[in-house]
Amino acid sequence: QVSLVESGGGLVQNGGSLRLSCAASSDIASIKYMGWFRQRPGTQRELVARITNVGGGSINYADSAKGRFTISKNNDRNTLTLQMNSLKPEDTALYYCNAIINGVIIWGQGTQVTVSS
């Protein structure tokens, strides 16, 4: 079974940037759905961005991420990346990578992102 390990979180000032990476333990080229979620304090986990290779492929972003975040998938390196620019204090959250494989949802352990005002 594939395992996912996130990295790249940290403390950044308002307006700063971070690049999150999700390293998979095995080949991800055939994984149809991968994405980034986040959980802010006191709230439920929410979708940030996802990428699929179904029907020609697509990328979707939460409204809060559009224009600021970019998701990308590198099949050669088995990594999923989230480039986050123009970060705001409300982006502070625990960020998770996930993949759906044969109907099973797999999560990483999360990486903390804190944006100071």
Side-chain angles (χ1 to χ4, degrees):
Q1 180 171 326
V2 175
S3 63
L4 305 172
V5 178
E6 301 95 334
S7 62
L11 174 63
V12 64
Q13 291 186 336
N14 188 16
S17 298
L18 283 174
R19 186 177 180 88
L20 304 184
S21 291
C22 172
S25 60
S26 60
D27 178 67
I28 65 170
S30 61
I31 298 178
K32 296 179 179 179
Y33 303 94
M34 295 192 74
W36 286 96
F37 285 70
R38 69 185 183 187
Q39 188 163 15
R40 293 179 283 187
T43 69
Q44 292 185 332
R45 198 172 297 188
E46 61 182 1
L47 174 71
V48 176
R50 65 183 169 197
I51 185 168
T52 76
N53 61 5
V54 177
S58 65
I59 291 176
N60 300 101
Y61 295 97
D63 287 344
S64 60
K66 289 178 181 176
R68 299 188 300 129
F69 296 0
T70 303
I71 188 172
S72 59
K73 186 181 175 202
N74 188 319
N75 292 331
D76 291 335
R77 297 187 176 186
N78 294 324
T79 58
L80 184 73
T81 299
L82 185 69
Q83 177 66 44
M84 304 188 295
N85 299 326
S86 302
L87 283 162
K88 306 174 183 179
E90 52 264 42
D91 293 318
T92 294
L94 190 58
Y95 284 72
Y96 296 91
C97 170
N98 94 332
I100 302 177
I101 303 173
N102 296 324
V104 177
I105 302 175
I106 299 171
W107 295 97
Q109 83 289 348
T111 186
Q112 178 67 39
V113 171
T114 302
V115 184
S116 63
S117 58

